[in-house]
Amino acid sequence: MMNNRVTEVFGIEYPVISGGMVWCSGWQLASAVSNAGGLGLIGAGSMYPDVLREHICKCKSSTDKPFGVNVPLISKYSDELMKVIIEEKVPVVFTSAGNPKTWTSRLHDEGIKVAHVVASTKFALKCQEAGVDAIVAEGFEAGGHNGREETTTMVLVPQVRKHIDIPLIAAGGIATGRAMLAAFALGAEGVQVGTRFALTTESSASDGFKQMCIGLGEGDTMLALKKLVPTRLIKNDFYREVEEAENRGASVEEIVDILGSGRAKRGIFEGDLSAGELEIGQVACLIDDIPTAKEVVDDIIREYNEGIHLLCNSGLSK
């Protein structure tokens, strides 16, 4: 067990939080992470309100530990999703892609803890002003939607730490205990892990997507869709179509037309590895297996503790 401000705020055993990833983070993954001592998040970005309610109810029946829901505030269903969250008395909400002031006070009135995901110090300060309980500083190594600043985790975390005094969670490129130790050395008090949990047995992503991801090498993911929302994607046929359009200066309207609807579901959930939108982080190149969520949490904590022991006995601490 580890005690710090992040574990205290969320009532968890370890300061390890699973990312609320579309088409990966359903009730099975969220409850498994929570049961392992971390904080599991249901990814509501790909859910209708009734589907979210179903996942919340199943998560409640699968764990008696705290869990949460991630809500991208740009979702056209965000108000309805929040209504479901409040009605179901979910203990934790992670918000992203929007103004943290929109929901923080209302959620606090319902006794719900709130964290907000940012990609810059500017927005971290806005979060602190809004009264959130914790901030997630996510570097652009992360999979899926990213900040336009393209600031790496190693730069972003210490910069945000310097300007805020509330609990700080690092995200982006973190899949191991040693990466967690590095994030803590930079000022974080918790880590949010996406890609590593996306490639577990409990993830709802398709087997084809998982197998493709564990075979990726360095440079096999890139940021794309920069005229819309910068998104880290695997280089497949869909990515190359977007890249060609962006390189010739295609309009936002043309890129939206290429994207169409349901691309991420088609790729991540249904397993269309050619025409689907395949979102995953850079750190996938370090992953070559598909363990359980519990094994991931256990490995992160074990490696974190081993790293501390190694550093303390390396002579560098003298």
Side-chain angles (χ1 to χ4, degrees):
M1 187 169 186
M2 298 173 63
N3 291 314
N4 66 14
R5 293 197 297 174
V6 168
T7 59
E8 290 173 3
V9 165
F10 300 121
I12 55 180
E13 189 175 352
Y14 304 120
V16 176
I17 298 151
S18 63
M21 303 165 285
V22 296
W23 305 114
C24 295
S25 301
W27 67 270
Q28 289 173 302
L29 179 57
S31 61
V33 173
S34 290
N35 282 331
L39 180 67
L41 297 184
I42 297 170
S46 55
M47 295 181 180
Y48 295 113
D50 59 331
V51 174
L52 174 60
R53 191 185 301 275
E54 179 184 351
H55 278 260
I56 291 171
C57 291
K58 288 182 176 179
C59 198
K60 285 179 179 178
S61 68
S62 300
T63 184
D64 58 0
K65 306 288 183 65
F67 69 93
V69 175
N70 178 77
V71 180
L73 297 178
I74 58 172
S75 168
K76 63 181 180 180
Y77 300 110
S78 61
D79 288 358
E80 296 171 70
L81 295 171
M82 288 296 191
K83 181 180 178 182
V84 170
I85 287 167
I86 291 170
E87 289 174 353
E88 295 295 335
K89 303 186 185 304
V90 174
V92 179
V93 169
F94 276 49
T95 53
S96 60
N99 187 344
K101 288 185 178 180
T102 306
W103 280 97
T104 297
S105 294
R106 174 71 191 283
L107 292 170
H108 279 168
D109 288 344
E110 300 292 335
I112 299 170
K113 299 294 185 181
V114 181
H116 192 81
V117 182
V118 302
S120 71
T121 301
K122 173 184 175 182
F123 286 104
L125 287 167
K126 289 182 180 294
C127 289
Q128 184 164 262
E129 292 169 6
V132 302
D133 298 287
I135 289 170
V136 180
E138 183 179 78
F140 95 125
E141 300 95 324
H145 294 164
N146 269 273
R148 296 188 180 279
E149 298 82 359
E150 298 189 16
T151 307
T152 65
T153 304
M154 290 286 285
V155 174
L156 180 63
V157 170
Q159 184 72 353
V160 171
R161 176 76 288 163
K162 185 165 64 175
H163 289 87
I164 67 162
D165 54 23
I166 62 176
L168 175 61
I169 299 161
I174 298 170
T176 66
R178 290 196 178 195
M180 176 174 164
L181 182 57
F184 277 39
L186 295 174
E189 298 156 86
V191 291
Q192 181 164 297
V193 177
T195 295
R196 175 68 279 193
F197 283 121
L199 306 179
T200 59
T201 58
E202 294 92 348
S203 164
S204 53
S206 70
D207 289 339
F209 173 75
K210 293 177 189 178
Q211 290 298 326
M212 184 180 196
C213 288
I214 64 174
L216 295 175
E218 292 180 24
D220 285 342
T221 69
M222 289 288 288
L223 283 184
L225 301 169
K226 293 185 179 182
K227 286 187 176 180
L228 302 179
V229 179
T231 308
R232 182 166 297 283
L233 302 174
I234 294 173
K235 294 178 178 178
N236 65 347
D237 290 342
F238 167 68
Y239 166 82
R240 283 183 279 273
E241 184 180 0
V242 170
E243 180 185 40
E244 186 278 328
E246 291 181 328
N247 286 343
R248 63 177 164 78
S251 67
V252 170
E253 291 75 17
E254 183 178 350
I255 294 172
V256 168
D257 186 58
I258 292 171
L259 180 60
S261 63
R263 280 275 190 175
K265 179 182 181 182
R266 183 175 173 183
I268 299 170
F269 189 69
E270 296 177 350
D272 185 337
L273 305 182
S274 174
E277 179 182 345
L278 306 179
E279 303 176 8
I280 203 70
Q282 280 184 336
V283 79
C285 69
L286 297 179
I287 298 170
D288 59 8
D289 61 349
I290 303 174
T292 66
K294 183 181 188 312
E295 288 171 334
V296 169
V297 174
D298 289 347
D299 284 347
I300 287 174
I301 299 305
R302 174 187 52 76
E303 192 174 291
Y304 172 87
N305 289 326
E306 287 175 353
I308 291 176
H309 180 75
L310 180 64
L311 290 176
C312 290
N313 290 280
S314 66
L316 296 177
S317 61
K318 295 180 181 178

